[in-house]
Amino acid sequence: MTGIATAALDQLRERLGDAVVTDVDVMAAYAHDEADLVEHGQPGCVVHARSTEDVRHVVRVAGQYGIPVVPQGALTGLAGAANAVDGCIALSLRRMDRILEIDRINRIAVVQPGVINKAVSTAAGELGLRYPPDPGSWESSTIGGNVSTNAGGMCCVKYGVTSEYVLGLEVVLADGEVLRTGRRTAKGVAGYDLTKLFVGSEGTLGVITEITLALRPVSEGVLSLAAVFEDTVSAGAAVSAIVADGRTPSLLEIMDNTLIRAIEAYRPMDLPVDAAALLLAAVDDGSSAQLERIAQLCTAAGASEVHVASDPVEGEMLLAARRLAHPAMERLGKIIVDDIAVPRSALAELLDSTQRIGEKYQVRVAMVGHAGDGNMHPNLIVDRDDPDSHRRCMLAFDAIMQLGLDLGGTCTGEHGVGTLKKGWLATEIGPIGLRTHRAIKAALDPAGILNPGKVFEIPG
Amino acid sequence: MTGIATAALDQLRERLGDAVVTDVDVMAAYAHDEADLVEHGQPGCVVHARSTEDVRHVVRVAGQYGIPVVPQGALTGLAGAANAVDGCIALSLRRMDRILEIDRINRIAVVQPGVINKAVSTAAGELGLRYPPDPGSWESSTIGGNVSTNAGGMCCVKYGVTSEYVLGLEVVLADGEVLRTGRRTAKGVAGYDLTKLFVGSEGTLGVITEITLALRPVSEGVLSLAAVFEDTVSAGAAVSAIVADGRTPSLLEIMDNTLIRAIEAYRPMDLPVDAAALLLAAVDDGSSAQLERIAQLCTAAGASEVHVASDPVEGEMLLAARRLAHPAMERLGKIIVDDIAVPRSALAELLDSTQRIGEKYQVRVAMVGHAGDGNMHPNLIVDRDDPDSHRRCMLAFDAIMQLGLDLGGTCTGEHGVGTLKKGWLATEIGPIGLRTHRAIKAALDPAGILNPGKVFEIPG
């Protein structure tokens, strides 16, 4: 039974009319995000909010009838945080997509949650500003989703994750009241940092309806290189050397052999298909000296070849290859994308041990990730022709998660916990951490209507 | 009555022995921080913790007897956050002052809360790294205090406040359990951001006993300039122009005429004593082109003189003048230091209107601050020979606070709320914000023993 009481639907429609959808085929499209291997339920209805008042109405009706509310953006998430639970209101913020203000002097943007990351980046760029966070989904994911999952991206190695760019929020709380957090100023330390508490809370504490973002000046000029390695340990050593040398690349990405081959098969571009690893690096301060130093460090660490892009166009081509990782992988089979972060010094060991885990469970693992952050995405390839493959992939997945924690890492570097990693979060933060999470959840959403069952379980 | 029950003292001494102090003269030194104009009580005892287990013991005994616990560092705060409440345990973390680890490759430091900011900076510097946050008190304040108040400093215009450098914490909760938050990795989004919730919470949610800090590479080379303005509006316009031009100075400070004169009187160094405002700017990427551009923008905004430091030694002298602001001011009278932040575009209006407020209440106001952040410190000078001066200063203080909020700002840019600004915090965040603060406080400290009466009041 996944229906919603008629009285509740009627109340929703009083304000929202046609924006309340119960068509089964439409609702199926709001059942889950891109983490399609984890569990999800079926919504009882889909509601398209167009305003903060719409959201308040939905939350109040939900509270009155005890209906779960699952806030949703573009459904590009990879951990199931936006997956429906049975009979929920799937509350889509996608149509709240206006950029309300961009202030050049104060370097801020005020946006609604449904605006696409790329739209903010484009609008900022027209004023000589930049919104740095660049998750892989930046052309399709919403800022609200980025904020709710604290999304990362390739620039984080220099610019940090979404959290660092969120100055303030408007949030509809579980009782329908509107909370404003944060500020429009560059600095401010008044009271608890409620803004950061909501960032990354995956819709479990409130529904974000407006976001004040910090912007940055555009960068000075991007220079990039690609370094080819015959073994992954040398590539890991190069990353450590670059960091230890005090370099601040604006991008430092790694791809392993499986991934290089997948991309070359997907779109031939003369990649070194026999290399064990390819390291991509960029600087965005226009400093060719810094790029040369990174090249030297790669060579010293054992790179067989270092190719410095002769101009931004060629540099962009190198990055284009990296961006093809996801579609290229999907051609190889059903993909389980993992997302662990380890201390940078443990990168070589992570790469090596992950390969061994793949061998042990007879699973193909392709590795790509943000080497400069120690944030890697092992891609586990489920062989569609082998009925046992999925089971082995999940065993390998768990073994990789444990490896990440054993190396002093975290279960998610940028994708979030969602439904996929609830068990691993509990392991990582321990009973006192879990109890603290539950206490905060109970304080802000005592009835537990906001995205229940995500991030952690409430016992009883 | 400010005593503590003998049974409670006995229990504290069972573990802590001589580290429990009830000598009245000693206790007086732990009664308040540097915000000596706001209320404070008298401790019932002072306890010097040397370990996390010591802190757990104190918190458990306090919980058992319902005794307030006021965590304290070096007592350099300016808002009364560490002020004693009557009969409290003043829990000094000052002797937990070890640097436990500095990891060069992963750019992190793990420290105890009582370590002095300068000690961390020095130790990091020896490894080619840097801990950026540089509050005015950096030579005497503790990291624990910096974290608890989310301290700022002069480098924030480029590097941000303390919060951005706190990766993880160990916290003793109100029930004596130990919570570990955060991580050692460059990235991580697992669960709620409890780390940032404790940063800036001024000891009201838990006692911080260990801190994992992010470090940065040392900067490339500092170049600086001083620009002289005949009116404050032009100085404000210069700041806006620098920001709007996409410059990223590592320092952008302003001093008004009263302050320039005070410093020159305190230590003669040929400052322009007739100038309405002096703007100090620095870049730390070694880019003389960027500094020249900033000089041009100052001239275009109306600077009567721009003096570019010929070398780092001369640059350091300019900054030394800025650092003398506080002692120089104290010679003029008793000082009430305010700390408001406004959008950068409102800086000129803030400077102007503050002067008018001073005139209205016949109070001398000296202005110094972090212009690049819009974070200003109006210094209200209490005339010791005029019995009515303090009252007028407090009226001016309130008028300046209201002005800051009216300009879209916040009641504290970096000093914190403490006891000084509880009323203004309530005004700034409104009833829903206050209710949310109280809900979180009640969730983590239901009996209200941790630093009660700070940041906000609990009704009833």
Side-chain angles (χ1 to χ4, degrees):
Chain A
M1 175 55 200
T2 60
I4 284 184
T6 310
L9 282 175
D10 287 347
Q11 275 198 47
L12 288 173
R13 287 193 172 115
E14 262 174 40
R15 180 182 171 91
L16 289 141
D18 289 350
V20 180
V21 182
T22 52
D23 179 281
V24 174
D25 293 334
V26 173
M27 288 198 296
Y30 294 85
H32 62 82
D33 66 17
E34 291 185 17
D36 49 8
L37 285 171
V38 296
E39 78 241 42
H40 66 84
Q42 292 299 334
C45 70
V46 173
V47 176
H48 298 282
R50 288 195 178 272
S51 69
T52 301
E53 285 304 315
D54 282 358
V55 172
R56 298 181 75 181
H57 185 74
V58 168
V59 169
R60 282 174 173 154
V61 172
Q64 190 180 337
Y65 291 88
I67 304 168
V69 175
V70 178
Q72 297 184 335
L75 294 168
T76 57
L78 293 166
N83 282 9
V85 297
D86 278 338
C88 74
I89 300 172
L91 175 56
S92 176
L93 286 308
R94 185 66 191 80
R95 295 183 189 170
M96 288 180 70
D97 62 354
R98 280 185 300 144
I99 296 174
L100 302 171
E101 179 191 353
I102 295 190
D103 178 334
R104 193 167 61 96
I105 305 279
N106 294 307
R107 292 182 187 161
I108 60 177
V110 182
V111 307
Q112 291 188 316
V115 68
I116 301 298
N117 179 307
K118 185 180 185 177
V120 176
S121 299
T122 304
E126 285 165 7
L127 295 174
L129 292 168
R130 175 182 177 209
Y131 174 66
D134 59 347
S137 60
W138 75 290
E139 292 180 297
S140 54
S141 62
T142 65
I143 293 291
N146 294 174
V147 169
S148 294
T149 58
N150 197 3
M154 291 201 267
C155 76
C156 299
V157 63
K158 180 168 178 180
Y159 292 100
V161 293
T162 299
S163 175
E164 296 189 26
Y165 298 89
V166 184
L167 293 177
L169 296 171
E170 180 189 84
V171 181
V172 174
L173 298 173
D175 61 2
E177 295 288 357
V178 177
L179 172 71
R180 292 203 74 100
T181 75
R183 55 203 157 78
R184 291 170 63 96
T185 54
K187 265 162 103 178
V189 298
Y192 299 160
D193 193 343
L194 299 179
T195 304
K196 298 289 195 284
L197 181 61
F198 284 99
V199 174
S201 66
E202 302 185 9
T204 62
L205 298 178
V207 182
I208 294 169
T209 48
E210 190 185 292
I211 302 147
T212 302
L213 296 169
L215 304 175
R216 291 229 180 197
V218 290
S219 48
E220 300 281 329
V222 179
L223 305 169
S224 45
L225 64 76
V228 178
F229 292 87
E230 303 307 323
D231 64 291
T232 52
V233 173
S234 300
V239 171
S240 289
I242 290 165
V243 176
D245 195 56
R247 298 305 105 206
T248 52
S250 57
L251 175 147
L252 191 54
E253 297 283 315
I254 196 169
M255 298 187 280
D256 76 356
N257 179 266
T258 306
L259 202 75
I260 297 167
R261 284 176 183 264
I263 292 171
E264 186 67 19
Y266 181 73
R267 194 166 304 168
M269 51 176 76
D270 228 3
L271 294 177
V273 293
D274 293 325
L278 190 62
L279 200 63
L280 301 178
V283 298
D284 70 352
D285 57 0
S287 165
S288 55
Q290 182 162 210
L291 196 74
E292 275 161 34
R293 178 69 186 152
I294 292 172
Q296 284 166 9
L297 292 164
C298 287
T299 302
S304 59
E305 192 186 331
V306 178
H307 181 75
V308 175
S310 53
D311 58 46
V313 176
E314 197 187 347
E316 192 45 51
M317 279 177 60
L318 289 174
L319 296 191
R322 164 66 183 86
R323 290 206 187 94
L324 291 175
H326 200 62
M329 288 306 301
E330 287 189 323
R331 290 256 298 248
L332 299 184
K334 206 161 179 71
I335 302 296
I336 302 173
V337 182
D338 203 348
D339 165 48
I340 50 179
V342 297
R344 286 176 278 234
S345 56
L347 186 63
E349 192 174 342
L350 176 70
L351 294 171
D352 237 40
S353 298
T354 302
Q355 281 310 325
R356 280 201 295 273
I357 289 169
E359 286 157 20
K360 176 176 173 186
Y361 293 101
Q362 298 170 282
V363 167
R364 288 178 74 191
V365 184
M367 194 66 116
V368 60
H370 315 299
D373 288 319
N375 180 201
M376 300 302 298
H377 299 308
N379 281 247
L380 303 158
I381 306 165
V382 182
D383 181 350
R384 291 192 180 95
D385 299 329
D386 175 357
D388 189 50
S389 174
H390 183 256
R391 185 188 65 85
R392 294 199 314 275
C393 277
M394 291 315 291
L395 290 173
F397 180 89
D398 282 344
I400 292 170
M401 294 302 293
Q402 187 63 56
L403 168 67
L405 295 189
D406 290 345
L407 292 174
T410 176
C411 69
T412 172
E414 59 179 12
H415 292 171
V417 176
T419 54
L420 182 65
K421 292 185 174 174
K422 282 189 288 188
W424 286 105
L425 178 76
T427 302
E428 180 174 335
I429 66 177
I432 305 298
L434 203 54
R435 203 189 66 188
T436 307
H437 275 70
R438 287 172 179 152
I440 291 170
K441 169 76 173 174
L444 294 186
D445 179 21
I449 62 163
L450 296 174
N451 213 7
K454 309 299 169 61
V455 189
F456 53 89
E457 294 287 347
I458 309 286
Chain B
M1 174 55 199
T2 61
I4 284 184
T6 309
L9 282 174
D10 287 347
Q11 275 198 48
L12 288 172
R13 287 195 171 115
E14 262 174 40
R15 180 183 172 89
L16 289 142
D18 289 349
V20 181
V21 182
T22 52
D23 178 280
V24 173
D25 293 334
V26 174
M27 288 197 297
Y30 294 83
H32 61 81
D33 66 16
E34 292 185 18
D36 50 8
L37 285 172
V38 298
E39 77 241 43
H40 65 84
Q42 292 299 331
C45 72
V46 173
V47 176
H48 298 282
R50 288 196 178 273
S51 67
T52 301
E53 284 305 315
D54 283 356
V55 173
R56 296 181 75 182
H57 185 73
V58 169
V59 170
R60 281 175 175 153
V61 172
Q64 191 180 334
Y65 290 88
I67 305 168
V69 175
V70 178
Q72 296 184 335
L75 293 168
T76 57
L78 294 166
N83 281 10
V85 297
D86 277 337
C88 74
I89 300 172
L91 176 57
S92 175
L93 285 310
R94 185 65 191 78
R95 295 185 188 169
M96 290 182 67
D97 63 354
R98 282 185 299 144
I99 296 174
L100 302 171
E101 179 191 354
I102 296 190
D103 178 334
R104 193 168 60 97
I105 304 280
N106 295 307
R107 291 182 189 163
I108 60 176
V110 182
V111 306
Q112 291 188 316
V115 69
I116 301 299
N117 179 309
K118 185 180 184 177
V120 176
S121 299
T122 304
E126 287 165 5
L127 295 173
L129 293 168
R130 174 181 177 209
Y131 173 65
D134 59 349
S137 60
W138 75 291
E139 293 179 296
S140 55
S141 62
T142 65
I143 294 291
N146 293 173
V147 169
S148 294
T149 58
N150 197 4
M154 290 202 269
C155 75
C156 300
V157 62
K158 181 168 177 180
Y159 292 102
V161 294
T162 299
S163 175
E164 296 190 24
Y165 298 89
V166 185
L167 293 177
L169 296 171
E170 180 188 84
V171 181
V172 174
L173 297 173
D175 61 2
E177 296 286 357
V178 177
L179 171 71
R180 292 201 74 98
T181 75
R183 55 202 157 80
R184 292 171 61 96
T185 54
K187 267 162 102 177
V189 297
Y192 298 161
D193 193 343
L194 299 180
T195 304
K196 298 288 195 284
L197 181 62
F198 284 98
V199 174
S201 66
E202 301 187 10
T204 62
L205 299 177
V207 182
I208 294 169
T209 48
E210 190 187 289
I211 302 147
T212 302
L213 295 169
L215 304 175
R216 290 230 179 194
V218 289
S219 49
E220 301 280 330
V222 179
L223 305 169
S224 44
L225 64 75
V228 178
F229 291 87
E230 304 308 324
D231 64 291
T232 52
V233 173
S234 300
V239 171
S240 290
I242 291 164
V243 176
D245 195 55
R247 298 305 104 206
T248 52
S250 57
L251 176 146
L252 191 53
E253 297 284 314
I254 195 168
M255 297 188 280
D256 75 356
N257 180 266
T258 306
L259 202 74
I260 297 167
R261 285 176 182 263
I263 292 171
E264 187 67 19
Y266 181 73
R267 194 166 303 170
M269 52 174 76
D270 229 3
L271 294 178
V273 292
D274 293 325
L278 189 63
L279 198 64
L280 301 178
V283 300
D284 70 351
D285 57 359
S287 165
S288 55
Q290 183 163 207
L291 195 74
E292 275 162 34
R293 178 69 186 151
I294 291 171
Q296 284 168 8
L297 292 164
C298 287
T299 302
S304 59
E305 192 186 330
V306 179
H307 180 76
V308 175
S310 54
D311 56 46
V313 176
E314 196 187 347
E316 191 46 50
M317 279 176 59
L318 289 174
L319 296 191
R322 165 67 183 87
R323 290 205 187 95
L324 291 175
H326 200 59
M329 287 307 300
E330 287 189 325
R331 291 254 300 244
L332 298 186
K334 208 162 179 72
I335 302 297
I336 303 173
V337 183
D338 203 348
D339 166 49
I340 49 178
V342 297
R344 285 176 279 234
S345 55
L347 186 63
E349 193 175 342
L350 176 70
L351 294 171
D352 238 37
S353 298
T354 302
Q355 281 311 325
R356 280 200 295 272
I357 289 170
E359 286 156 21
K360 176 175 174 187
Y361 293 101
Q362 298 168 281
V363 166
R364 287 178 72 192
V365 184
M367 194 67 116
V368 60
H370 315 299
D373 289 319
N375 179 201
M376 300 303 296
H377 300 308
N379 281 246
L380 303 158
I381 305 165
V382 182
D383 182 349
R384 291 193 179 95
D385 299 327
D386 176 356
D388 189 49
S389 175
H390 183 256
R391 186 190 64 85
R392 294 201 313 275
C393 277
M394 293 314 292
L395 290 173
F397 180 89
D398 281 344
I400 292 170
M401 295 301 293
Q402 188 63 54
L403 169 67
L405 296 188
D406 290 346
L407 291 174
T410 176
C411 68
T412 172
E414 58 180 13
H415 292 172
V417 176
T419 54
L420 181 64
K421 293 185 174 174
K422 283 189 288 189
W424 286 104
L425 178 76
T427 301
E428 180 174 336
I429 67 178
I432 305 298
L434 203 55
R435 203 188 67 189
T436 307
H437 276 71
R438 287 171 178 153
I440 290 170
K441 170 75 173 174
L444 294 185
D445 178 21
I449 62 162
L450 297 174
N451 214 8
K454 309 301 169 60
V455 189
F456 53 89
E457 296 286 348
I458 309 287

